[in-house]
């Protein structure tokens, strides 16, 4: 079995970087699926190595070949001039540059937070201007990309509901009942005709804040492994995780200034409720293959399950 240092040296060597320049290696916390390590070289350069788990490790259906999607996100973010890691080498594992900063936390003044959220809005709007050839996960985990968003996204919902049944996840409503409610909102998906770049995991832990210049700025958007080609509105779910993006005036100001469309008519609200349902189904189901401890399981049931019920109730109300 290859240890972490040997694996890191092999990754550097494969990328044409002298492996003897590796000076320090440390694991990075926050990930729940891949192994992530920071590599510091003798000349001060920093890289991040991401390694997927063995195929025998249980996971959700959409989690196969996540690194393929992550590479797609970083290359697309570069086209959009959005700060994100740069791909150095990819394949069975991913070597990328490290972005400056630390994960967004509560140590910001109100003024800093408003300014950063506005800038984040501009960056996300630029991401959403990048378009793909078709809809779905570029990893192919759920099959090839398809021509319409309704087919792609309903397939994503079907997959996570199948995962919930397979793992016997604790849902606030039976999986079949959840599926029936979700179907009531599917017509709203037909309004989406252009496959846009969607990160789908832009919670604060994946937004780096850099203070190296003295002023807080966004150092990079990381962990793009959950990306797909789809509806830009889907990004609003993790951007307002367990909350309501409509209350984030600073973000929406920046998003609209940069050309992003953020209208909340009935079809848009239906789609947002569908996307919230999808993310919360993932969060509830993944506790089983991740073997979540009692505290995490309790938090998910006390915090996430009610949000899934609220999203399903909104679909029922709007669809009627």
């Amino acid at each position: 079995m290859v240890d972490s240092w040997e694996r890191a040296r092999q990754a550097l060597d494969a990328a044409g970087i002298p492996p003897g320049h590796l000076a320090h290696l440390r694991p990075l916390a926050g990930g729940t699926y891949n192994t992530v390590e920071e590599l510091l070289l003798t000349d001060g350069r920093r890289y991040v190595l991401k390694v997927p788990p063995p195929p025998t490790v249980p996971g959700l259906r959409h989690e196969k070949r996540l690194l393929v999607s992550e590479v797609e996100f970083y290359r697309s973010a570069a086209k959009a001039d959005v700060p994100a890691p740069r791909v150095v080498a990819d394949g069975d594992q991913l070597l990328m540059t490290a972005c400056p900063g630390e994960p967004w936390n509560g140590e910001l003044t109100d003024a800093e937070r408003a300014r950063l959220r506005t800038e984040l809005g501009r960056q996300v709007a630029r991401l959403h201007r990048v378009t793909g050839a078709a809809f779905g996960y570029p990893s192919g985990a759920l099959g090839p990309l398809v021509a319409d968003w309704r087919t792609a996204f309903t397939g994503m919902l079907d997959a996570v509901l199948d995962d919930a049944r397979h793992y016997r996840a604790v849902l606030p409503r039976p999986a079949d009942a959840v599926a029936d409610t979700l179907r009531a909102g599917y017509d709203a998906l037909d309004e989406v005709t252009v496959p846009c770049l969607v990160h789908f995991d832009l919670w604060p832990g994946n937004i780096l804040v850099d203070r190296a210049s003295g002023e807080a700025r966004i150092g990079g958007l990381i962990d793009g492994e959950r990306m797909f080609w789809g509806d830009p509105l889907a990004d609003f779910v993790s951007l307002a995780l367990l909350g309501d993006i409509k209350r984030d005036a600073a973000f929406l100001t920046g998003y609209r200034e940069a050309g992003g469309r953020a209208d909340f008519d009935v079809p848009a609200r239906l789609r947002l409720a569908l996307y919230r349902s999808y993310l919360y189904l993932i969060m509830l189901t993944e506790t089983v293959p991740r073997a979540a401890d009692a505290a995490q399981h309790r938090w998910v049931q006390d915090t996430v399950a009610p949000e899934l019920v609220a999203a399903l109730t909104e679909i029922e109300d709007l669809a009627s």
Side-chain angles (χ1 to χ4, degrees), residues 18-318:
H21 289 185
L22 179 64
H24 184 68
L25 183 150
R26 70 179 179 107
L28 295 179
T32 59
Y33 193 70
N34 296 303
T35 298
V36 188
E37 297 164 332
E38 181 187 60
L39 284 53
L40 178 64
L41 272 57
T42 53
D43 60 6
R45 284 181 293 169
R46 293 167 55 236
Y47 296 94
V48 172
L49 179 64
K50 184 170 282 194
V51 182
T56 53
V57 171
L60 305 187
R61 285 180 55 195
H62 75 275
E63 291 178 321
K64 297 182 181 70
R65 304 179 73 234
L66 284 177
L67 295 187
V68 173
S69 295
E70 187 155 10
V71 168
E72 185 93 353
F73 176 79
Y74 294 145
R75 289 177 174 160
S76 297
K79 295 177 185 176
D81 194 27
V82 169
R86 178 176 57 82
V87 176
V88 178
D90 66 287
D92 293 336
Q93 53 193 19
L94 171 60
L95 183 68
M96 58 192 131
T97 57
C99 290
E102 298 294 331
W104 184 307
N105 57 36
E107 300 172 5
L108 295 169
T109 66
D110 290 344
E112 285 176 328
R113 185 187 184 282
R115 183 171 52 78
L116 287 173
R117 293 299 291 184
T118 301
E119 176 55 28
L120 179 63
R122 296 189 187 104
Q123 292 184 8
V124 173
R126 294 204 297 273
L127 288 178
H128 291 168
R129 288 202 291 269
V130 181
T131 59
F135 293 95
Y137 286 112
S139 65
L142 301 182
L145 299 177
V146 296
D148 68 284
W149 178 230
R150 181 173 182 147
T151 298
F153 187 66
T154 58
M156 292 156 68
L157 285 170
D158 288 344
V160 74
L161 285 168
D162 284 346
D163 286 329
R165 296 183 185 100
H166 173 73
Y167 288 116
R168 299 183 179 179
V170 179
L171 303 181
R173 298 182 185 178
D176 290 348
V178 172
D180 288 342
T181 298
L182 293 172
R183 276 192 288 270
Y186 284 178
D187 286 349
L189 298 170
D190 294 334
E191 293 205 351
V192 181
T193 57
V194 178
C196 297
L197 180 66
V198 177
H199 184 289
F200 203 62
D201 201 14
L202 285 173
W203 69 292
N206 288 337
I207 303 168
L208 300 184
V209 176
D210 178 31
R211 292 183 177 273
S213 66
E215 181 178 69
R217 66 180 184 88
I218 295 176
L221 306 183
I222 63 172
D223 282 352
E225 63 194 19
R226 309 284 172 173
M227 73 79 62
F228 53 74
W229 298 108
D231 182 357
L233 278 181
D235 258 339
F236 289 0
V237 179
S238 59
L239 283 160
L241 188 62
L242 303 170
D244 184 352
I245 195 67
K246 296 191 291 296
R247 298 178 182 177
D248 194 341
F251 172 84
L252 291 174
T253 294
Y255 188 75
R256 288 166 173 148
E257 284 177 355
R261 179 182 175 185
D263 299 325
F264 299 103
D265 56 12
V266 169
R269 287 162 58 198
L270 267 171
R271 298 201 309 276
L272 271 174
L274 287 169
Y275 307 147
R276 284 159 48 210
S277 299
Y278 181 54
L279 180 58
Y280 300 149
L281 282 167
I282 290 173
M283 294 173 72
L284 287 160
T285 303
E286 69 184 4
T287 59
V288 183
R290 301 281 194 281
D293 60 24
Q296 176 67 12
H297 181 78
R298 189 163 49 249
W299 179 84
V300 168
Q301 290 301 317
D302 290 347
T303 306
V304 180
E307 292 297 330
L308 174 58
V309 172
L312 294 172
T313 299
E314 185 168 4
I315 293 170
E316 292 168 341
D317 292 343
L318 292 173

